Amino acid sequence: MRRFTALLLCLLVLGYVSAETLRIGVFLHSPVVMQKSPDGEPYGPGIEYAKAVAHALGYEAQIELLPLSRIFPTLQNGNLDMSLEVGMNEERKAYVIYPDKPCYVTHPSLTVRAESPLTSIASIKDVQGLRIGYLLGAYPGSFFVKATGVTFEYVAGDTWIVQNMGKLFSNRIDAILDQNEFSCLAEARRQGIEKKIRVLPLPGEDVKGYVIFSRKLANATSLVRAYNALNGTPALPNENAMLLEYLEKER
């Protein structure tokens, strides 16, 4: 009863108006947000979750697909209201507001060929000498901060997972780094080669992705308060569960 009352109060604070839109910036990162063609509509569990958040807050979702590098300045200047699957850092707090809890939690991983002698990773010593494919300009994570004897080979663009998968099976790299354990698995399933890869978690903490709201939005504080109250209730689905359900359907 208390939870229901809290939700009603949140809706009253927001002034529930279903006709209003929430401009939500998303970026391509399979299997969370995908696109079948360069001019196609984005789809995936991340899109469905974004729409669910907007609906739960009393808005229609206006989805805008942008490169990740453009999402942050667009939130900063107020031309976007919200984004999601975004890591928390102090610099971003100057222009966005974070809720109390993440929308999804993943774990950094290396993907290798199934025949690779590498079967688990306990320390940086286990990956010495590897050529690792990654995304140009992306942060490799704390595990690699003091790494020596590791060579990173970078590719750019939204198809970086596909590019690195090709390099992995042409023996141009030994492993693919990603900040989640799902992307390479989803691509391997799409190509029908799931049994030919092994996804290995890296030591260290999980990666937490958040829904964020632009401080330029007049009622941003109220939206965050409402999201906090809705998160974890039947009124708002769990994004991790949505992602796992999607991956099961793709088997």
Side-chain angles (χ1 to χ4, degrees):
M1 187 63 178
R2 289 180 180 176
R3 177 77 70 177
F4 180 72
T5 303
L7 296 181
L8 284 178
L9 287 173
C10 287
L11 295 177
L12 287 172
V13 169
L14 292 172
Y16 194 94
V17 182
S18 59
E20 293 184 2
T21 60
L22 202 60
R23 299 166 298 174
I24 304 174
V26 299
F27 56 98
L28 291 176
H29 53 303
S30 175
V32 184
V33 176
M34 296 165 285
Q35 191 179 35
K36 290 183 179 179
S37 63
D39 58 348
E41 290 293 320
Y43 71 98
I47 299 298
E48 297 309 309
Y49 183 73
K51 292 177 179 178
V53 170
H55 179 75
L57 295 176
Y59 290 82
E60 293 295 327
Q62 179 181 315
I63 303 295
E64 299 187 24
L65 182 62
L66 298 168
L68 181 59
S69 60
R70 285 186 55 197
I71 283 181
F72 298 118
T74 312
L75 284 163
Q76 192 169 9
N77 65 29
N79 287 326
L80 279 179
D81 302 318
M82 180 188 128
S83 188
L84 65 161
E85 289 110 33
V86 174
M88 182 183 292
N89 68 34
E90 294 303 314
E91 180 182 349
R92 292 172 190 161
K93 287 181 180 179
Y95 55 89
V96 299
I97 304 177
Y98 286 86
D100 294 338
K101 296 179 181 180
C103 58
Y104 86 145
V105 180
T106 62
H107 196 86
S109 67
L110 281 186
T111 296
V112 297
R113 296 184 299 275
E115 66 270 20
S116 171
L118 187 63
T119 58
S120 64
I121 303 170
S123 74
I124 197 68
K125 293 180 181 179
D126 294 324
V127 298
Q128 293 296 306
L130 293 188
R131 298 163 298 166
I132 299 175
Y134 197 37
L135 173 64
L136 181 66
Y139 175 57
S142 58
F143 179 73
F144 291 100
V145 167
K146 296 181 180 179
T148 57
V150 174
T151 302
F152 282 101
E153 297 191 10
Y154 299 99
V155 296
D158 295 329
T159 62
W160 73 276
I161 290 288
V162 177
Q163 294 177 64
N164 275 322
M165 196 71 74
K167 293 176 69 175
L168 182 68
F169 282 96
S170 62
N171 294 315
R172 294 165 60 194
I173 56 175
D174 305 303
I176 303 170
L177 171 64
D178 199 3
Q179 297 306 310
N180 71 66
E181 65 270 44
F182 305 120
S183 296
C184 288
L185 177 61
E187 178 57 30
R189 286 180 179 173
R190 188 187 70 82
Q191 295 186 26
I193 56 172
E194 179 181 356
K195 293 183 179 179
K196 295 184 179 182
I197 65 165
R198 183 185 301 130
V199 180
L200 305 175
L202 293 173
E205 297 181 353
D206 290 330
V207 174
K208 298 176 181 179
Y210 291 82
V211 167
I212 55 174
F213 296 90
S214 170
R215 290 187 180 274
K216 293 283 188 178
L217 189 59
N219 60 340
T221 301
S222 296
L223 285 173
V224 173
R225 188 184 304 122
Y227 178 84
N228 286 335
L230 293 164
N231 200 9
T233 74
L236 192 62
N238 179 281
E239 189 177 8
N240 270 90
M242 295 172 73
L243 178 55
L244 292 174
E245 182 180 356
Y246 174 81
L247 289 173
E248 281 301 312
K249 289 179 179 178
E250 293 298 299
R251 278 186 180 277

